[in-house]
Amino acid sequence: MMTFHPLASDIGWGSWRLCEDGSHPLERIDAAIESGFTLFDTADIYGAASAGFGAAEALLGEMLRDRPGLRDHICLATKGGIRPGVPYDSSRSHLLEALEASLRRLRVERIDLYQIHRRDWLTRPDELAATLDMMVDSGKVGAVGVSNYAPSELAALRAFARTPILTTQPEFSLWHPQPLHDGTLDDAMTQGMTVLAWSPLGGGRLAGCTDRLAEALGALAGQQGVDVAAIALSWVMAHPAGVIPIVGSQSPERIRRAADARKVRWTREDWYRLLEAAIGRRLP
């Protein structure tokens, strides 16, 4: 699978809940590495509610400090553009300051992927495109992308960007299958972008659902010899866009079990059966 970075794994590990228990992340980081998850996804806003703005990046920075050489073996991705109380700011001044702050917290000189976290409707796409060009030209960012952008918003940005927009990060799961229908995945395949799916387990809801979808997930999990989470992750990965799900679990054991998604084998019947169970109706 071609991706935006040679070290980007087929499953990523996300740090949006990294600060919830206040413990050092090394055990979870080690579980991710052992599972072959080399794409580490974070953002400057992660951890803000529990430990302060930039807290997740700072913890990852400590991990990189304490694991000399690890930086050379992972693909490091972060996001900026959300400001508490604003809420969105993609102005040039803010994003360039945000990038410098992320570099300091992560204790690195270069971020492999920098994404605009959410659309700021008060920033023109040509201004944002020029800012992204500056980031890459500076050598401090390897590649750029967007998160939570509609295809039309991405097209407007792409029209002005000299630097290729290489990734898009939508919410995508059996709980939230809208990218199948709103053009997000089709646009990514047309443009050759990598899709990074956030909340691929529906924020944990898929593991605890008790309806027709739960029955279908459980039956397939039993047939394949994996847990329900692995089935749900693999369902996302089976799409021809080559979607990379971002696993947000902070349990080392669940992180390791997520790697079983690679073992799942799909028939069209099984894939569509889960989709029909998720949307609650038969497809026409």
Coordinates of all heavy atoms in Angstrom, one line a residue, residues 71-141:
R71 N 12.7 7.7 17.4 CA 12.2 8.7 16.4 C 12.4 8.3 15.0 O 11.6 8.5 14.1 CB 12.8 10.0 16.7 CG 12.4 11.1 15.7 CD 11.0 11.5 15.8 NE 10.5 12.4 14.8 CZ 10.0 12.0 13.6 NH1 9.8 10.7 13.3 NH2 9.6 12.9 12.7
D72 N 13.5 7.6 14.7 CA 13.9 7.2 13.4 C 13.1 6.0 12.8 O 13.2 5.7 11.6 CB 15.4 6.8 13.3 CG 16.3 8.0 13.6 OD1 15.9 9.2 13.4 OD2 17.4 7.8 14.1
H73 N 12.3 5.4 13.7 CA 11.5 4.2 13.3 C 10.0 4.4 13.3 O 9.3 3.4 13.2 CB 11.9 3.1 14.2 CG 13.4 2.7 14.1 ND1 13.9 2.1 13.0 CD2 14.4 3.0 15.0 CE1 15.3 1.9 13.2 NE2 15.6 2.5 14.4
I74 N 9.6 5.6 13.5 CA 8.1 5.9 13.5 C 7.8 7.1 12.6 O 8.7 7.9 12.2 CB 7.6 6.3 14.9 CG1 8.2 7.6 15.4 CG2 7.9 5.1 15.9 CD1 7.5 8.1 16.7
C75 N 6.5 7.1 12.2 CA 6.0 8.2 11.4 C 5.2 9.1 12.4 O 4.2 8.6 13.0 CB 5.1 7.7 10.3 SG 4.3 9.0 9.4
L76 N 5.6 10.3 12.6 CA 5.0 11.2 13.7 C 4.1 12.2 13.0 O 4.5 13.0 12.1 CB 6.1 11.9 14.4 CG 5.7 12.8 15.6 CD1 5.0 12.0 16.7 CD2 7.0 13.5 16.2
A77 N 2.8 12.1 13.4 CA 1.8 13.0 12.8 C 1.2 13.8 13.9 O 0.8 13.3 15.0 CB 0.8 12.2 12.1
T78 N 1.0 15.1 13.7 CA 0.2 15.9 14.7 C -0.7 16.9 13.9 O -0.7 16.9 12.6 CB 1.2 16.7 15.6 OG1 0.4 17.2 16.7 CG2 1.9 17.9 14.9
K79 N -1.5 17.6 14.6 CA -2.5 18.5 14.0 C -2.6 19.8 14.8 O -2.3 19.8 16.0 CB -3.9 17.8 14.1 CG -4.0 16.5 13.2 CD -5.4 15.9 13.3 CE -5.6 15.1 14.6 NZ -4.7 13.9 14.8
G80 N -3.0 20.8 14.1 CA -3.2 22.1 14.7 C -4.3 22.8 14.1 O -4.9 22.4 13.1
G81 N -4.8 23.9 14.7 CA -5.9 24.7 14.2 C -7.1 24.9 15.1 O -8.0 25.6 14.8
I82 N -7.1 24.1 16.2 CA -8.2 24.2 17.2 C -7.6 25.1 18.3 O -6.5 24.8 18.9 CB -8.7 22.9 17.7 CG1 -9.3 22.1 16.5 CG2 -9.6 23.1 18.8 CD1 -9.9 20.8 17.0
R83 N -8.3 26.1 18.7 CA -8.0 26.9 19.8 C -9.1 27.0 20.8 O -10.2 27.4 20.4 CB -7.6 28.3 19.4 CG -6.3 28.5 18.6 CD -6.1 29.9 18.2 NE -6.0 30.8 19.3 CZ -6.0 32.1 19.2 NH1 -6.1 32.7 18.0 NH2 -5.9 32.9 20.2
P84 N -8.9 26.5 22.0 CA -10.0 26.5 23.0 C -10.6 27.9 23.1 O -9.9 28.9 23.3 CB -9.4 26.1 24.3 CG -8.2 25.3 23.9 CD -7.7 25.9 22.6
G85 N -12.0 28.0 23.0 CA -12.6 29.3 23.2 C -12.8 30.0 21.9 O -13.5 31.0 21.9
V86 N -12.2 29.6 20.8 CA -12.2 30.4 19.5 C -13.4 30.0 18.6 O -14.2 30.8 18.3 CB -10.9 30.4 18.8 CG1 -11.0 31.1 17.5 CG2 -9.8 31.1 19.7
P87 N -13.5 28.7 18.1 CA -12.7 27.5 18.4 C -11.6 27.2 17.3 O -10.7 26.4 17.6 CB -13.8 26.4 18.4 CG -14.8 26.9 17.4 CD -14.7 28.4 17.4
Y88 N -11.8 27.7 16.1 CA -10.9 27.3 15.0 C -10.1 28.5 14.5 O -10.6 29.6 14.3 CB -11.7 26.7 13.8 CG -12.6 25.6 14.2 CD1 -14.0 25.7 13.8 CD2 -12.2 24.6 15.1 CE1 -14.9 24.7 14.2 CE2 -13.1 23.6 15.5 CZ -14.4 23.7 15.1 OH -15.3 22.7 15.5
D89 N -8.8 28.3 14.2 CA -7.9 29.3 13.8 C -6.9 28.7 12.8 O -5.9 28.0 13.3 CB -7.2 30.0 14.9 CG -6.5 31.3 14.5 OD1 -6.3 31.5 13.3 OD2 -6.1 32.1 15.4
S90 N -7.0 28.9 11.5 CA -6.0 28.5 10.6 C -5.3 29.7 9.9 O -4.8 29.6 8.8 CB -6.7 27.7 9.4 OG -7.1 26.4 9.9
S91 N -5.3 30.8 10.6 CA -4.5 32.0 10.1 C -3.0 31.6 10.1 O -2.6 30.7 10.9 CB -4.7 33.2 11.1 OG -4.2 32.9 12.4
R92 N -2.3 32.3 9.3 CA -0.9 32.0 9.1 C -0.1 32.2 10.4 O 0.7 31.3 10.8 CB -0.3 32.9 8.0 CG 1.2 32.6 7.8 CD 1.7 33.4 6.6 NE 0.9 33.0 5.4 CZ 1.0 33.6 4.2 NH1 1.8 34.6 4.1 NH2 0.3 33.2 3.2
S93 N -0.4 33.3 11.1 CA 0.3 33.6 12.3 C 0.1 32.5 13.4 O 1.0 32.0 14.0 CB -0.1 34.9 12.9 OG -1.5 35.0 13.2
H94 N -1.2 32.1 13.5 CA -1.5 31.0 14.5 C -0.8 29.7 14.1 O -0.2 29.0 15.0 CB -3.0 30.8 14.7 CG -3.2 29.6 15.6 ND1 -3.0 29.6 17.0 CD2 -3.7 28.4 15.3 CE1 -3.3 28.5 17.5 NE2 -3.8 27.7 16.5
L95 N -1.0 29.2 12.9 CA -0.5 27.9 12.5 C 1.1 27.9 12.6 O 1.6 26.8 13.0 CB -0.9 27.5 11.1 CG -2.4 27.2 11.0 CD1 -2.8 26.8 9.6 CD2 -2.8 26.0 12.0
L96 N 1.7 28.9 12.2 CA 3.2 28.9 12.3 C 3.7 28.9 13.8 O 4.6 28.2 14.1 CB 3.8 30.1 11.6 CG 3.6 30.1 10.1 CD1 4.2 31.3 9.4 CD2 4.2 28.8 9.4
E97 N 3.0 29.6 14.6 CA 3.3 29.5 16.1 C 2.9 28.1 16.6 O 3.7 27.6 17.5 CB 2.5 30.6 16.8 CG 3.0 32.0 16.5 CD 2.1 33.1 17.2 OE1 1.1 32.6 17.9 OE2 2.3 34.3 17.0
A98 N 1.8 27.6 16.2 CA 1.4 26.3 16.7 C 2.4 25.2 16.3 O 2.7 24.3 17.0 CB 0.0 25.9 16.1
L99 N 2.9 25.3 15.0 CA 3.9 24.3 14.6 C 5.2 24.4 15.5 O 5.7 23.3 15.9 CB 4.3 24.6 13.1 CG 5.5 23.8 12.6 CD1 5.2 22.3 12.6 CD2 5.8 24.3 11.1
E100 N 5.6 25.6 15.7 CA 6.8 25.7 16.6 C 6.6 25.1 18.0 O 7.5 24.5 18.5 CB 7.3 27.2 16.7 CG 7.7 27.8 15.3 CD 9.0 27.1 14.8 OE1 9.8 26.6 15.6 OE2 9.2 27.2 13.6
A101 N 5.4 25.4 18.5 CA 5.1 24.9 19.8 C 5.0 23.3 19.8 O 5.5 22.7 20.8 CB 3.8 25.5 20.3
S102 N 4.4 22.8 18.8 CA 4.4 21.3 18.7 C 5.8 20.7 18.6 O 6.1 19.7 19.2 CB 3.5 20.9 17.5 OG 2.2 21.2 17.7
L103 N 6.6 21.3 17.8 CA 8.0 20.8 17.7 C 8.7 20.8 19.1 O 9.4 19.9 19.4 CB 8.8 21.7 16.7 CG 8.4 21.5 15.2 CD1 9.0 22.7 14.4 CD2 8.9 20.2 14.7
R104 N 8.5 21.9 19.8 CA 9.1 22.0 21.2 C 8.6 20.9 22.1 O 9.3 20.2 22.8 CB 8.9 23.3 21.8 CG 9.7 24.5 21.1 CD 9.7 25.7 22.0 NE 8.3 26.2 22.2 CZ 7.7 27.1 21.4 NH1 8.3 27.5 20.3 NH2 6.5 27.5 21.6
R105 N 7.3 20.7 22.1 CA 6.7 19.7 23.0 C 7.1 18.3 22.6 O 7.3 17.4 23.5 CB 5.2 19.9 23.0 CG 4.7 21.1 23.8 CD 3.2 21.1 23.9 NE 2.5 21.3 22.7 CZ 2.0 22.4 22.2 NH1 2.1 23.5 23.0 NH2 1.3 22.5 21.1
L106 N 7.1 18.0 21.3 CA 7.5 16.7 20.8 C 9.0 16.5 20.9 O 9.4 15.3 20.7 CB 7.0 16.5 19.4 CG 5.4 16.4 19.3 CD1 5.0 16.6 17.9 CD2 4.9 15.0 19.8
R107 N 9.8 17.5 21.1 CA 11.2 17.4 21.2 C 11.8 16.9 19.9 O 12.8 16.0 19.9 CB 11.7 16.5 22.3 CG 11.1 17.0 23.7 CD 11.4 16.0 24.8 NE 10.7 16.3 26.0 CZ 11.3 16.8 27.1 NH1 12.6 17.0 27.1 NH2 10.6 17.1 28.2
V108 N 11.3 17.4 18.7 CA 11.8 16.9 17.4 C 12.1 18.2 16.6 O 11.6 19.3 16.9 CB 10.8 16.0 16.7 CG1 10.6 14.7 17.5 CG2 9.5 16.7 16.5
E109 N 12.8 18.0 15.5 CA 13.1 19.1 14.6 C 12.2 19.0 13.3 O 12.2 20.0 12.6 CB 14.6 19.0 14.1 CG 15.6 19.2 15.3 CD 17.0 19.1 14.8 OE1 17.2 18.8 13.6 OE2 17.9 19.4 15.6
R110 N 11.5 17.9 13.2 CA 10.7 17.7 12.0 C 9.5 16.8 12.3 O 9.6 15.8 13.0 CB 11.5 17.1 10.9 CG 10.8 16.8 9.6 CD 11.7 16.1 8.6 NE 11.1 15.7 7.4 CZ 11.0 16.3 6.3 NH1 11.5 17.6 6.2 NH2 10.5 15.8 5.2
I111 N 8.3 17.2 11.8 CA 7.1 16.4 12.0 C 6.8 15.8 10.6 O 6.8 16.5 9.6 CB 5.9 17.3 12.4 CG1 6.2 17.8 13.9 CG2 4.6 16.6 12.3 CD1 5.3 18.9 14.4
D112 N 6.6 14.5 10.6 CA 6.4 13.8 9.3 C 5.1 14.2 8.6 O 5.0 14.3 7.4 CB 6.4 12.3 9.5 CG 7.7 11.8 10.1 OD1 8.8 12.3 9.5 OD2 7.8 11.0 11.0
L113 N 4.0 14.4 9.4 CA 2.7 14.8 8.8 C 2.1 15.9 9.7 O 1.9 15.6 10.9 CB 1.8 13.6 8.7 CG 0.4 13.9 8.3 CD1 0.3 14.5 6.8 CD2 -0.5 12.7 8.4
Y114 N 1.8 17.0 9.1 CA 1.1 18.1 9.9 C -0.3 18.3 9.2 O -0.4 18.5 8.0 CB 1.8 19.4 9.9 CG 1.3 20.4 10.9 CD1 1.8 20.4 12.2 CD2 0.3 21.3 10.5 CE1 1.3 21.3 13.1 CE2 -0.2 22.2 11.4 CZ 0.3 22.2 12.7 OH -0.2 23.1 13.6
Q115 N -1.4 18.1 10.0 CA -2.7 18.2 9.5 C -3.5 19.4 10.1 O -3.3 19.7 11.3 CB -3.5 16.9 9.7 CG -2.9 15.7 9.0 CD -3.8 14.5 9.2 OE1 -4.5 14.0 8.3 NE2 -3.7 14.0 10.4
I116 N -4.3 20.0 9.3 CA -5.2 21.0 9.8 C -6.4 20.3 10.4 O -7.1 19.6 9.8 CB -5.7 22.0 8.7 CG1 -4.5 22.6 8.0 CG2 -6.6 23.1 9.3 CD1 -3.5 23.3 8.9
H117 N -6.6 20.5 11.7 CA -7.5 19.7 12.5 C -8.9 19.9 12.1 O -9.7 18.9 12.0 CB -7.3 20.0 14.0 CG -7.7 18.9 14.9 ND1 -7.1 18.7 16.1 CD2 -8.5 17.8 14.7 CE1 -7.6 17.6 16.7 NE2 -8.4 17.0 15.8
R118 N -9.4 21.1 11.9 CA -10.8 21.3 11.5 C -10.8 22.6 10.6 O -9.9 23.5 10.8 CB -11.7 21.5 12.6 CG -12.0 20.1 13.3 CD -13.1 20.2 14.4 NE -13.4 19.0 15.0 CZ -14.2 18.0 14.6 NH1 -14.9 18.2 13.4 NH2 -14.4 16.9 15.2
R119 N -11.8 22.7 9.8 CA -11.9 23.8 8.8 C -12.1 25.1 9.6 O -13.0 25.2 10.5 CB -13.0 23.6 7.8 CG -13.4 24.8 7.0 CD -12.3 25.1 5.9 NE -12.5 26.3 5.2 CZ -13.3 26.5 4.2 NH1 -14.0 25.4 3.7 NH2 -13.5 27.6 3.6
D120 N -11.4 26.1 9.3 CA -11.6 27.5 9.8 C -12.2 28.3 8.7 O -11.5 28.6 7.7 CB -10.3 28.1 10.3 CG -10.4 29.6 10.6 OD1 -11.5 30.1 10.8 OD2 -9.4 30.3 10.6
W121 N -13.5 28.6 8.8 CA -14.2 29.2 7.7 C -13.8 30.7 7.5 O -14.1 31.4 6.5 CB -15.7 29.1 7.8 CG -16.2 27.7 7.7 CD1 -16.3 27.0 6.6 CD2 -16.6 26.8 8.8 NE1 -16.8 25.7 6.8 CE2 -16.9 25.6 8.2 CE3 -16.6 26.9 10.1 CZ2 -17.3 24.5 8.9 CZ3 -17.0 25.8 10.9 CH2 -17.4 24.6 10.3
L122 N -13.0 31.2 8.5 CA -12.6 32.6 8.4 C -11.2 32.8 7.8 O -10.7 33.9 7.7 CB -12.6 33.3 9.8 CG -14.0 33.4 10.4 CD1 -14.0 34.1 11.7 CD2 -15.0 34.1 9.5
T123 N -10.6 31.7 7.4 CA -9.3 31.7 6.7 C -9.5 31.3 5.2 O -10.1 30.2 5.0 CB -8.3 30.8 7.3 OG1 -8.0 31.2 8.7 CG2 -7.0 30.7 6.5
R124 N -9.1 32.1 4.3 CA -9.3 31.8 2.9 C -8.4 30.6 2.5 O -7.3 30.4 3.1 CB -8.8 33.0 2.0 CG -9.8 34.2 2.1 CD -9.2 35.3 1.3 NE -8.9 35.0 -0.1 CZ -9.7 35.0 -1.1 NH1 -10.9 35.5 -1.0 NH2 -9.2 34.6 -2.3
P125 N -8.8 29.8 1.6 CA -8.0 28.6 1.2 C -6.7 28.9 0.6 O -5.7 28.2 0.8 CB -8.9 27.8 0.2 CG -9.9 28.8 -0.2 CD -10.1 29.8 0.9
D126 N -6.6 30.1 -0.1 CA -5.3 30.5 -0.7 C -4.3 30.8 0.4 O -3.1 30.5 0.3 CB -5.4 31.6 -1.7 CG -6.2 32.8 -1.2 OD1 -6.8 32.7 -0.1 OD2 -6.1 33.9 -1.8
E127 N -4.8 31.5 1.5 CA -3.9 31.8 2.6 C -3.4 30.5 3.3 O -2.2 30.4 3.6 CB -4.6 32.7 3.6 CG -3.7 33.0 4.9 CD -4.5 33.7 6.0 OE1 -5.6 34.3 5.7 OE2 -3.9 33.8 7.1
L128 N -4.3 29.6 3.5 CA -3.9 28.4 4.2 C -3.0 27.6 3.3 O -2.0 27.0 3.8 CB -5.2 27.5 4.5 CG -4.9 26.2 5.1 CD1 -4.1 26.3 6.4 CD2 -6.3 25.5 5.4
A129 N -3.2 27.5 2.0 CA -2.3 26.8 1.1 C -0.9 27.4 1.2 O 0.1 26.6 1.2 CB -2.9 26.8 -0.3
A130 N -0.8 28.7 1.2 CA 0.5 29.3 1.3 C 1.2 29.0 2.6 O 2.4 28.8 2.6 CB 0.4 30.8 1.1
T131 N 0.4 28.9 3.7 CA 1.0 28.6 5.0 C 1.5 27.2 5.0 O 2.7 26.9 5.5 CB -0.1 28.7 6.1 OG1 -0.5 30.1 6.1 CG2 0.5 28.4 7.4
L132 N 0.8 26.2 4.4 CA 1.2 24.9 4.3 C 2.5 24.7 3.5 O 3.4 24.0 3.8 CB 0.1 24.0 3.8 CG -1.1 23.8 4.7 CD1 -2.2 23.0 4.0 CD2 -0.8 23.2 6.0
D133 N 2.5 25.5 2.4 CA 3.8 25.5 1.6 C 5.0 26.0 2.4 O 6.1 25.4 2.3 CB 3.6 26.5 0.4 CG 2.6 25.9 -0.7 OD1 2.3 24.7 -0.7 OD2 2.0 26.7 -1.5
M134 N 4.8 27.0 3.2 CA 5.8 27.5 4.0 C 6.3 26.5 5.0 O 7.5 26.4 5.3 CB 5.4 28.8 4.8 CG 5.1 30.0 3.9 SD 4.4 31.4 4.8 CE 5.7 31.7 6.0
M135 N 5.4 25.7 5.6 CA 5.8 24.7 6.6 C 6.7 23.7 5.9 O 7.7 23.3 6.5 CB 4.6 24.0 7.1 CG 3.7 24.9 8.1 SD 2.3 24.0 8.7 CE 1.7 25.1 9.9
V136 N 6.3 23.2 4.7 CA 7.1 22.2 4.1 C 8.4 22.8 3.6 O 9.5 22.1 3.7 CB 6.3 21.6 2.9 CG1 7.2 20.6 2.1 CG2 5.1 20.8 3.5
D137 N 8.4 24.0 3.0 CA 9.6 24.6 2.5 C 10.6 24.8 3.6 O 11.9 24.8 3.4 CB 9.3 26.0 1.9 CG 8.6 25.8 0.6 OD1 8.5 24.7 0.0 OD2 8.0 26.8 0.1
S138 N 10.1 25.0 4.9 CA 11.1 25.2 6.0 C 11.8 24.0 6.4 O 12.8 24.1 7.2 CB 10.3 25.8 7.2 OG 9.5 24.7 7.8
G139 N 11.4 22.8 5.9 CA 12.0 21.6 6.3 C 11.5 21.0 7.7 O 11.9 20.0 8.1
K140 N 10.6 21.8 8.3 CA 10.1 21.4 9.6 C 8.8 20.4 9.5 O 8.5 19.8 10.5 CB 9.7 22.6 10.5 CG 10.9 23.5 10.7 CD 10.5 24.8 11.5 CE 11.7 25.6 11.7 NZ 11.3 26.9 12.4
V141 N 8.3 20.3 8.3 CA 7.2 19.4 8.1 C 7.4 18.6 6.8 O 7.9 19.2 5.8 CB 5.9 20.2 7.9 CG1 4.7 19.4 7.3 CG2 5.5 20.8 9.2

